[in-house]
């Protein structure tokens, strides 16, 4: 039984690692990106308070707080503004 638990944990860890490494956004020509000002406005409309917005790994990345006042770091596709990666304050402890 312990061996089965080990394999289940190893499989889960491997899938988590592959998700973590897939946070780069799809490459879009810059002229197709939503402007940073518009992105900030639309992201804030989703309930985020933004302390910084930058481009990282081809994504818009924000640091700030969500509607529950938790510290967050979120990456968005710069063309569609779809969320690509999300981390909240438990990751920062």
């Amino acid at each position: 039984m312990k061996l089965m638990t080990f394999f289940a944990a190893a499989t889960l860890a491997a899938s988590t690692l592959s998700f973590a490494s897939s946070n780069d956004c799809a490459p879009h020509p810059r002229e197709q990106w939503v402007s940073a000002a518009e992105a900030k406005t639309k992201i804030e409309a989703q309930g985020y308070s933004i302390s910084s917005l930058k481009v990282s790994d081809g994504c818009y990345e924000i640091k700030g707080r969500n509607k529950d006042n938790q510290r967050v770091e979120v990456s968005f596709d710069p063309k569609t503004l779809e969320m690509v990666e999300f981390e909240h304050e438990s990751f920062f402890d």
Side-chain angles (χ1 to χ4, degrees):
M1 187 65 158
K2 286 183 181 182
L3 187 57
M4 182 180 275
T5 304
F6 171 78
F7 284 121
T11 301
L12 178 62
S15 66
T16 302
L17 289 175
S18 69
F19 173 76
S21 66
S22 67
N23 66 345
D24 293 352
C25 289
H28 302 292
R30 281 276 187 171
E31 62 270 7
Q32 293 180 358
W33 287 27
V34 173
S35 72
E38 184 179 354
K40 185 176 187 234
T41 299
K42 289 183 175 186
I43 293 167
E44 287 175 335
Q46 295 176 32
Y48 293 98
S49 168
I50 300 172
S51 59
S52 72
L53 182 140
K54 67 178 186 176
V55 175
S56 178
D57 295 325
C59 302
Y60 280 131
E61 178 183 282
I62 65 147
K63 290 183 180 180
R65 297 196 172 265
N66 64 10
K67 64 182 177 180
D68 297 324
N69 203 33
Q70 295 174 311
R71 286 188 308 164
V72 295
E73 195 171 293
V74 188
S75 296
F76 295 89
D77 183 284
K79 179 180 176 183
T80 65
L81 295 183
E82 290 181 32
M83 186 183 305
V84 176
E85 182 179 23
F86 176 85
E87 295 178 357
H88 61 83
E89 64 187 13
S90 66
F91 285 99
F92 302 110
D93 295 334

